[in-house]
Amino acid sequence: MNKELLKKSQSLIALFALCLVISILSDKFMTSSNLWNVLRQISVNICISVGMTLVVLMAGIDLSVGSVLAFSSAVCAGLLSKGISIPSMDLFIGFTVLGGVLVALIVGLLMGLFNGWVITKFSLPPFVATLAMLTIARGATMLYTQGIPISNLGSSFEFIGSGWLLGIPVPVWISLFVVLSVVFITNKTTFGRYIYAIGGNERAAFLSGINIKAVKLAVYGISGMMAAVGGILVTSRLNSAQPNAGASYELDSIAAVVIGGTSLSGGIGTIAGTVIGATIIGVLNNGLILLNVSPFWQQVVKGLVILLAVIIDQKSKKKA
Amino acid sequence: MTFKSFLTLIIITVSLTNCSQKSSEEKPKVAVVISTLNNPWFVVLAEAAAKNAEQLGYEAKIFDSQNNPAIESDNFENLISSGYDAILFNPTDADGSISNIMKAKEAGVPVFCMDREVNSNDAATSQVLSDNYSGCAEIGIEFVKSLNGKGKYVEILGLVGDNNTWARSGGFHSVVDKFPGFKMLAQQSGDFDRNKAMEVLETIMQGHPDLEAVFCGNDAMAMGAYQALLSAGKADKVKVFGFDGASDVIEKIAEGKIVATGMQYPIVMAETAAKFADEYFKGKRDFPQRVPVEVVLVKKSNAGSFK
């Protein structure tokens, strides 16, 4: 328990240090409007990273999240703006916001389940299977959109990404809901225990009677669905689906998971850590722009901070 | 892989290629090699080039280089060995793409560059180019006029590794920097991406709520910037400028919500390049090395004619 606490506080301390440095350099950082801005901007990465954490806890990886995000975003926007029409049958189905969102979530879930199915059925390394999905889903997005953004989605849909509820931006509510649900799953359910068990020692987990395939299938499904949640948020914020949305989001999300102290070899890590990791990345992005750092330097600085965070984490693990 | 699945794969591949190559007898084949299909502007350029070549009676196929000179090089090698007769080319890199053009030239395949140039005068047969620099200088002039020669502004750059980014930024600053009344509050990259530009401007506004104008290196970013201003309730106070001539921005210009953009003519460039290839097949050999295609300023008064 003490070790856990130490590790968690390690990344928290890093976050506070980062905030302190930026607020000394810029007086605009510690304003409520900027902090809401940061929270709203990181909500997409938090949703994706929470799903990614479950995958990484099982010693897996999901490289397809950015493309799955783009495809579910395109489907959602396509349904909202054009609906489904089959002229030969004289059929037209229009979609409400709720309908479009639900279909997008299901599309994400199915793509994730497909990842899980390929991985378990053919015993493929997750890296390879999800790398293939990264390309397939991006191609599917291009096919569906013909490379052109889908816009004019109606003002009620914009509420999801740009609205406020009880003084808090809606995307923040959504990411909070996602985080709390998954924290509940990992800490309070047997399913959650199984995820840790499989990541800790897959063979032992199998011998103790855990249905490994079913758990993996579910976890990749969840990861796909979380990518779809991110997709809905991005689409709504822009009021438009972009064919190239989510490109390289998998890297930001893996970075958040790793900075948050989850081990890439599985079994160790927490959702709370990932949330802190995503916040560190978000604060860093925000701070570098507030300070008007040259875009050339920004990438270098971001890479160095990720490196530093992981080195500190490694050291603290050895000590503990 | 078992023998059976290998066989299936071959059968699938063969049957796929068969259906895409019907009626290929003796028509010259034209390849359209495009830097990226990940951006609607280039999709229009590629499709217009292919359509024009087909209308002239040629078989045309589009190859996507995915913004990667290495993939572009593979594309060139493949299409030279599969016997294409001409290449309508949108290069990924002004220097990196020269060696690819030289490969085609050695194989006797003429290359016509579209939109983006390469830094060589004896590689491509001809280059039909959009003038990014003077197009953005035009935007700069409109910018100065619309702000009466002074104001605080933000510039959102495209991908910092892309030469169009700097041609556009350079053209804009060649005009605006002559006016000491202007102050650039921040210059940040939005990677030519709508979402990135929105988030970048949201953050910049935290530090500089007093901005009066935003210049964006393309129209996708101008839309993102407009979205950020809209959510911040500043859309009617801050003037947005873009570049490209995307249809959603032209709509916003007509409504008076975005001030101006530069209309590039992908269709004109594609048409000209396809026409050159046609003339080449008919025996013409002396083409001008560079054919500039004018960028036209779109503002509220003329937006209607671009819809």
Side-chain angles (χ1 to χ4, degrees), chain B residues 12-24:
Chain B
I12 292 172
T13 319
V14 169
S15 55
L16 277 176
T17 38
N18 266 347
C19 59
S20 64
Q21 281 193 345
K22 52 189 162 189
S23 76
S24 68

Side-chain angles (χ1 to χ4, degrees), chain B residues 133-197:
Chain B
Y133 187 91
S134 35
C136 282
E138 288 276 328
I139 302 263
I141 294 169
E142 186 61 26
F143 186 88
V144 172
K145 276 191 208 161
S146 119
L147 287 149
N148 296 320
K150 61 173 172 42
K152 297 175 184 166
Y153 71 96
V154 168
E155 180 181 7
I156 303 184
L157 297 162
L159 287 164
V160 290
D162 185 307
N163 47 6
N164 279 330
T165 298
W166 300 109
R168 291 172 189 184
S169 179
F172 175 79
H173 285 287
S174 73
V175 174
V176 175
D177 290 0
K178 294 209 174 84
F179 294 81
F182 283 112
K183 188 181 171 218
M184 184 161 74
L185 300 170
Q187 183 185 43
Q188 288 291 330
S189 168
D191 291 347
F192 286 135
D193 180 272
R194 194 157 164 163
N195 189 44
K196 179 87 193 287

Side-chain angles (χ1 to χ4, degrees), chain A residues 18 29 38 41-42 45 276-287:
Chain A
L18 189 65
F29 177 72
V38 172
Q41 291 186 354
I42 62 175
N45 193 18
I276 295 169
T279 313
I280 289 179
I281 295 174
V283 166
L284 195 60
N285 276 331
N286 179 266

Side-chain angles (χ1 to χ4, degrees), chain A residues 33 41 142 237 292 298, chain B residues 38 188 195 199 202 206:
Chain A
S33 80
Q41 291 186 354
M142 291 298 158
R237 293 217 56 203
N292 202 19
Q298 290 187 12
Chain B
N38 218 332
Q188 288 291 330
N195 189 44
E199 297 195 351
E202 280 174 347
Q206 299 298 328

Side-chain angles (χ1 to χ4, degrees), chain A residues 9-286:
Chain A
S9 49
Q10 200 92 35
S11 38
L12 253 184
I13 291 167
L15 177 60
F16 279 129
L18 189 65
C19 290
L20 191 70
V21 172
I22 297 172
S23 52
I24 290 170
L25 295 173
S26 164
D27 57 344
K28 303 296 182 215
F29 177 72
M30 274 293 170
T31 59
S32 68
S33 80
N34 187 52
L35 294 179
W36 284 129
N37 181 36
V38 172
L39 286 177
R40 195 171 49 209
Q41 291 186 354
I42 62 175
S43 54
V44 173
N45 193 18
I46 285 188
C47 291
I48 300 173
S49 303
V50 160
M52 184 72 81
T53 310
L54 298 184
V55 173
V56 173
L57 278 175
M58 288 189 327
I61 195 98
D62 188 349
L63 300 179
S64 68
V65 286
S67 302
V68 170
L69 176 149
F71 188 66
S72 35
S73 152
V75 168
C76 180
L79 294 179
L80 289 179
S81 71
K82 288 174 292 204
I84 298 174
S85 64
I86 308 168
S88 59
M89 289 164 66
D90 207 14
L91 187 72
F92 175 78
I93 309 170
F95 279 80
T96 60
V97 170
L98 187 65
V101 165
L102 277 179
V103 174
L105 290 177
I106 292 168
V107 165
L109 176 69
L110 289 177
M111 290 180 118
L113 286 175
F114 182 82
N115 277 336
W117 178 72
V118 173
I119 290 164
T120 51
K121 171 85 182 174
F122 302 101
S123 315
L124 287 188
F127 189 95
V128 179
T130 57
L131 186 64
M133 181 52 94
L134 177 148
T135 312
I136 296 169
R138 182 65 62 187
T141 313
M142 291 298 158
L143 280 172
Y144 185 78
T145 60
Q146 291 295 306
I148 292 167
I150 306 174
S151 304
N152 297 326
L153 310 176
S155 53
S156 55
F157 180 61
E158 271 184 286
F159 180 73
I160 301 174
S162 313
W164 292 72
L165 196 69
L166 307 176
I168 292 175
V170 178
V172 177
W173 281 115
I174 293 175
S175 56
L176 189 70
F177 174 74
V178 163
V179 167
L180 291 180
S181 325
V182 177
V183 165
F184 177 79
I185 290 174
T186 48
N187 291 350
K188 301 286 176 200
T189 65
T190 45
F191 175 68
R193 294 286 119 208
Y194 288 170
I195 295 175
Y196 279 96
I198 292 172
N201 187 336
E202 190 165 329
R203 178 93 191 127
F206 176 72
L207 290 176
S208 62
I210 296 174
N211 186 343
I212 290 178
K213 287 187 176 180
V215 175
K216 281 194 175 174
L217 202 64
V219 166
Y220 281 96
I222 293 174
S223 177
M225 196 157 84
M226 290 300 130
V229 174
I232 292 161
L233 288 177
V234 171
T235 317
S236 164
R237 293 217 56 203
L238 289 170
N239 203 18
S240 162
Q242 301 290 303
N244 54 353
S248 79
Y249 277 24
E250 62 279 354
L251 300 180
D252 269 351
S253 141
I254 293 169
V257 172
V258 171
I259 292 175
T262 298
S263 159
L264 281 175
S265 46
I268 303 163
T270 59
I271 299 295
T274 298
V275 171
I276 295 169
T279 313
I280 289 179
I281 295 174
V283 166
L284 195 60
N285 276 331
N286 179 266

